Structure formats: C-alpha cells, structure tokens
Amino acid sequence: MPPSFCHLNSKNHQPQWSVKFKHAAPNRLPTEANPMQRTKCTESKFTRAEFYELVWSKPATHLAKELGCSDSEIGILCKSHDIPKPFAGYWMMLVHGKAPERPPLPISDGEASRMITVINRAAEACSDEEPKREPQYDDEILQKLDLVAQLGPLRVGKALRSPHSLVSKTQAQIAENTTDCKKRRLPEKDYGRYSRSRDMLAVEVSPGMTGRALRIMDAFIKRIVQLGGKVEIRRCGYDRRERATTVVIAGVDVTTLRLREKRKKVPSTKKDEFWDRWGGNRIELVPTGILLFDLGPGSFGRELLIDETNRKLEDGLNDLIIRLIKKAGEIRIQKRVDAERTARLERQQEIDRERKKLIKKRKKELRQQKKKEQERIDALVSDATCFKMARAIRTYLHALSCSLATEEGTIAIDGDTAQYLRWAHQQADRLDPLCESPHSVLDEDLNTSGIGPNRPR
C-alpha cells in the first residue's frame, strides 16, 4: 500500500515526516514515554522486513539521529542485506502530495533467522562522557565571589559624580580630542575616537554616547577596586607606543578591555573625484548607539558584553565582573598547575643530574678498578714470562756446562767461561720473580744534581 503523504508546518513550511504504513514495523526507537530506552541499550535489532519498513518510513538522516548512527551506515546495511532504499526525490514527491511506488523487498534465503543490528554510538558516547567539573578556585577567588554577591547588582548612576582618576583623565582627553577635531574640521562621528598613543581609557564612542560610556566605565572601575582589583593603562605594541586598558584581579592580568560603540557600514553620500574616477564603492562607518565591551582592537568581533533589545549593557556589568573573577581564578589555577609541573620537571632534572653524577663517579671508579686489575694481570703475565725465561736460561746454562765439561774435561774457575756462566745465572736470577734480584748496572740511574760545582747563589 502506498504511504500517506506528509503534511507541512504552517509556520516555517517544513515537512513533518509522519508517514505511516498499514503494516509498519514495531517501534523499537526511544519514545517520550520511555526516554531511558536509548541510554540503557546501545544497539537495536531488526528483522529484514522490519528494517525495510523503517527505511521507507522516514529520511535516512532523521532515522540515523534516532538510531544513533550515520546515514551512510544505514546505506551500507541496506546494500549488504539487499534492501532497496528510497530513490532521490522520493520524499519531496510525498511533500507535494504524490504517491510514488516503492520497490518490493526481494526474497532472500534465511530471512526469518537473519537479524540486522544497529549500534547506537550516540548512546555510548553519552554514557562515557563525564560531567564537567567546576574549577577548584582558591580561597581568595571564593572570597571575591562572595563579596560580589554581598555587594549586590552594580548600578550605574544617571550622572558622573566623583569619577575615578582614570575616568577624569579620559574625560579631559576626549574633550581635548573633540577640540582638536573641530579645529581640523573632521566629521563629528570622529570626535569620540580615542587615541591609542595617549594615557586614556579605551573608550571609543560618538559624542552623544560619551556621558553614558564614562558612567559605565566609572561604575565598572569602582566595583573592581572594591573587590581588591585595579584597572591600569599600560603600554603595548611592538614599539610600546600604544596604550591598552588592563583589568587586574587578585594579582592576575585578566584581560584587556575596550568600551566602544558598534558601527555599521553605509554607502557614502559624499562626492570624491578620486573614488568616482576609479569607480570605487565608498562606505562610511555610522554609529548605531549600541555599546559593547570587547578585548580591544585585535578582538575581531568577540564581544564580552553588548547592548541587547531586552537588556542593556549596564544590567550585565555584574555578570561580566563575575566572569572576570572566575577567569582570574582559572588563570591562577593554570599558574599553580604550571608551577607544579615546573617543580616536577626541576625535581626530575635534579634527579637526572644526581643520577648522571653517580653514573660518572661509578664509571670513574670502574675505570680505576679496571686499570688496577689490568696492571695486576700485566704484572702476573710479566712474572710468568720472566719465570719461564729464567727457567729456559738455567736449562740452557746447564746444557752448556755439561757440553763444555765433556769437551774440555774441566772448567777453570777464573776463566772466561766460568765468568760468563756466573753472569748468565745472575741474569736468570734477575728475571726470576721467585729469587732475590742481584745488583746490575741496569738498575743504576744517573742523578745529575750532585755532579760538578754548585750553581752560584
């Protein structure tokens, strides 16, 4: 049977996919009556016929969100189980009241026992996700947050009374800039533009919004001072010529801040021969009366607080201060983490240095031990070699004595042969480490210090 066509929402003309079949598959998706069904089970099982009816009941993108998978996975399942999918343009034909035919489900072997399993990956991700923990602020930050709650909402006065010194300086600088712009005949919209090279707060508004902007900055700075913080004008830029308004809370430079008026681009109505000649599209930045806080000239449209239709910027100052205090707490936490990491690295480096010293000392001791051991080995080998040579000499001398005695009969005691034999036995004794070494001329050393007359003093 062809499905009934879906109806359109009268407000946004979006199709509501409430397509129904007479033989619809049982509802295995999470329902409002049982919202925990999806989180309890991470997979859904269907028969081939049930999945066929489910695929033709709503678009694959909508079905994928409910099943917790991707539409490409649904396409892969349809292809692997030989289930036809809705063709391109099928759902738009239903929207326009047409009843396109859908191909029947092909017959497959073992269809009754075959089950299609769809893994709910979204439910797995939700179950594994840990709740975000609140940062562990230190006592000083917690005291400042409590003080903000005790002071109550920040109120901006209707008139500027007893302004802060920075606000007074900025007011005088804006008046000086206005006078200078009038002398130079600049457009009125540029009167309130602050100069980055002068000591003044970052306030950039049109002349009509100057009073409100100064009152906001005065209330903001006074509340920061009440909380133990301060607002400073510091040099910045690569050449240190520019100025930036910096908020300091709990000894931490939280952020740079600028209060400016939002401007919009409009086509310029002025005549300019240069631009008209080259066909340029000239635009002007026109103030809109909407004030906002941002991070400064390099914030690229990231507003911290802005005027809204149902909420003015003054009403959000208290929330902005709380955010700045929390940011200061996060910066302090990060500094503590960095300090702990640095301390761990230093301890590890100290341990590594001590280890290297011990290794170096051990290597030196080992070299000395090896040197001594090698010296003992060399001495042992030398003694064994000398002992062997001494025995060889004695054996040779004994054989020589026997040979001479046989030839000559006797050896004269005072003869050359006897002297030679005595000298040779002495040399064998000198080589033999087991015998006392007799005196030899080889053992003498010439000491030149005692020879000849002494040197004159």
Side-chain angles (χ1 to χ4, degrees):
M1 291 293 294
S4 59
F5 61 89
C6 61
H7 62 276
L8 289 173
N9 192 334
S10 59
K11 291 184 178 180
N12 50 15
H13 302 286
Q14 294 295 328
Q16 303 294 323
W17 302 106
S18 57
V19 185
K20 297 181 180 179
F21 295 90
K22 285 188 175 180
H23 304 287
N27 184 16
R28 295 176 180 266
L29 301 179
T31 60
E32 295 181 359
N34 188 12
M36 296 300 294
Q37 181 178 355
R38 178 169 174 174
T39 56
K40 287 182 179 179
C41 183
T42 59
E43 62 180 24
S44 303
K45 293 186 178 182
F46 306 91
T47 63
R48 188 164 170 268
E50 289 174 352
F51 199 71
Y52 167 75
E53 296 291 344
L54 195 62
V55 167
W56 285 87
S57 64
K58 58 187 67 178
T61 53
H62 295 206
L63 188 61
K65 290 181 180 179
E66 296 182 1
L67 293 175
C69 62
S70 63
D71 54 346
S72 59
E73 292 180 14
I74 295 176
I76 293 172
L77 289 173
C78 290
K79 186 176 181 180
S80 60
H81 292 276
D82 194 17
I83 298 175
K85 284 183 60 181
F87 51 84
Y90 174 79
W91 303 109
M92 291 306 299
M93 293 177 69
L94 291 181
V95 171
H96 292 287
K98 297 182 180 180
E101 295 183 0
R102 61 175 180 175
L105 179 64
I107 300 175
S108 177
D109 297 336
E111 182 177 352
S113 60
R114 184 185 303 179
M115 299 296 294
I116 300 174
T117 303
V118 181
I119 299 176
N120 190 344
R121 305 186 187 279
E124 290 181 351
C126 293
S127 61
D128 295 340
E129 185 178 358
E130 295 183 359
K132 187 177 180 180
R133 293 182 294 180
E134 191 72 19
Q136 299 295 323
Y137 300 120
D138 54 31
D139 294 338
E140 186 176 358
I141 297 298
L142 294 176
Q143 290 175 4
K144 293 186 183 302
L145 291 174
D146 293 339
L147 183 58
V148 170
Q150 293 174 8
L151 293 175
L154 179 59
R155 304 294 182 185
V156 179
K158 296 183 179 180
L160 188 62
R161 296 186 179 91
S162 301
H164 192 270
S165 59
L166 294 178
V167 177
S168 301
K169 186 185 296 185
T170 303
Q171 188 178 19
Q173 192 63 57
I174 290 176
E176 182 180 345
N177 292 349
T178 301
T179 304
D180 184 54
C181 290
K182 287 181 179 179
K183 288 182 181 180
R184 296 165 60 187
R185 297 181 181 181
L186 295 177
E188 185 179 353
K189 63 183 180 65
D190 293 333
Y191 288 180
R193 300 295 293 274
Y194 82 99
S195 176
R196 300 181 193 172
S197 60
R198 298 185 180 182
D199 288 331
M200 61 180 294
L201 294 172
V203 178
E204 185 177 351
V205 295
S206 60
M209 302 296 294
T210 302
R212 181 190 172 199
L214 292 177
R215 293 196 304 272
I216 291 173
M217 288 298 291
D218 185 61
F220 176 80
I221 295 174
K222 288 179 179 178
R223 177 55 61 91
I224 294 294
V225 172
Q226 282 181 332
L227 297 172
K230 57 183 176 180
V231 177
E232 298 179 347
I233 301 174
R234 297 181 179 177
R235 292 180 178 271
C236 63
Y238 71 94
D239 54 357
R240 311 295 292 174
R241 293 184 179 181
E242 298 183 359
R243 307 295 194 278
T245 303
T246 306
V247 180
V248 182
I249 298 177
V252 176
D253 295 350
V254 181
T255 182
T256 56
L257 202 65
R258 176 179 65 169
L259 178 61
R260 70 178 181 91
E261 185 176 1
K262 192 173 183 180
R263 298 169 179 251
K264 65 178 180 180
K265 297 178 181 179
V266 297
S268 177
T269 57
K270 296 181 180 180
K271 298 293 182 180
D272 193 310
E273 296 181 359
F274 176 80
W275 287 98
D276 293 341
R277 185 186 310 133
W278 294 100
N281 296 324
R282 297 194 63 203
I283 60 171
E284 287 183 323
L285 296 176
V286 179
T288 60
I290 299 175
L291 295 184
L292 61 90
F293 274 112
D294 60 11
L295 301 179
S299 57
F300 302 105
R302 293 177 293 176
E303 298 95 357
L304 298 176
L305 186 64
I306 189 171
D307 277 332
E308 298 178 0
T309 306
N310 54 354
R311 187 187 187 189
K312 287 188 176 182
L313 184 138
E314 291 88 334
D315 300 331
L317 286 177
N318 210 55
D319 295 337
L320 176 61
I321 291 174
I322 292 175
R323 285 159 49 196
L324 294 179
I325 294 174
K326 289 184 176 180
K327 185 177 180 182
E330 293 172 2
I331 294 173
R332 288 168 70 103
I333 291 173
Q334 188 61 42
K335 284 186 176 181
R336 287 202 306 269
V337 172
D338 294 342
E340 292 174 359
R341 185 186 299 112
T342 303
R344 286 198 302 270
L345 290 176
E346 289 178 354
R347 288 197 299 269
Q348 186 63 39
Q349 291 175 358
E350 184 66 24
I351 292 173
D352 292 342
R353 285 194 293 268
E354 293 294 331
R355 182 171 175 272
K356 289 180 180 179
K357 287 182 180 179
L358 291 175
I359 292 174
K360 186 177 180 180
K361 182 179 179 182
R362 178 58 182 159
K363 285 183 177 180
K364 184 178 180 181
E365 294 175 353
L366 188 61
R367 285 196 301 269
Q368 293 176 354
Q369 291 176 1
K370 286 182 177 181
K371 184 178 179 181
K372 291 181 179 179
E373 189 70 15
Q374 188 64 42
E375 290 176 353
R376 294 182 65 187
I377 293 173
D378 294 342
L380 176 62
V381 173
S382 177
D383 291 345
T385 304
C386 291
F387 178 74
K388 185 178 179 180
M389 292 176 62
R391 290 185 61 184
I393 291 173
R394 290 192 182 102
T395 303
Y396 165 71
L397 293 177
H398 178 70
L400 179 62
S401 300
C402 293
S403 175
L404 293 176
T406 303
E407 292 178 0
E408 299 178 1
T410 58
I411 299 175
I413 297 176
D414 297 334
D416 295 337
T417 302
Q419 292 181 357
Y420 172 76
L421 291 174
R422 283 193 294 270
W423 172 83
H425 277 287
Q426 289 178 355
Q427 299 305 318
D429 292 341
R430 290 186 70 253
L431 290 174
D432 192 351
L434 302 180
C435 297
E436 184 178 356
S437 177
H439 178 72
S440 174
V441 69
L442 297 176
D443 300 328
E444 295 182 0
D445 188 15
L446 182 61
N447 187 4
T448 59
S449 60
I451 299 177
N454 296 329
R455 295 181 181 179
R457 298 180 179 179

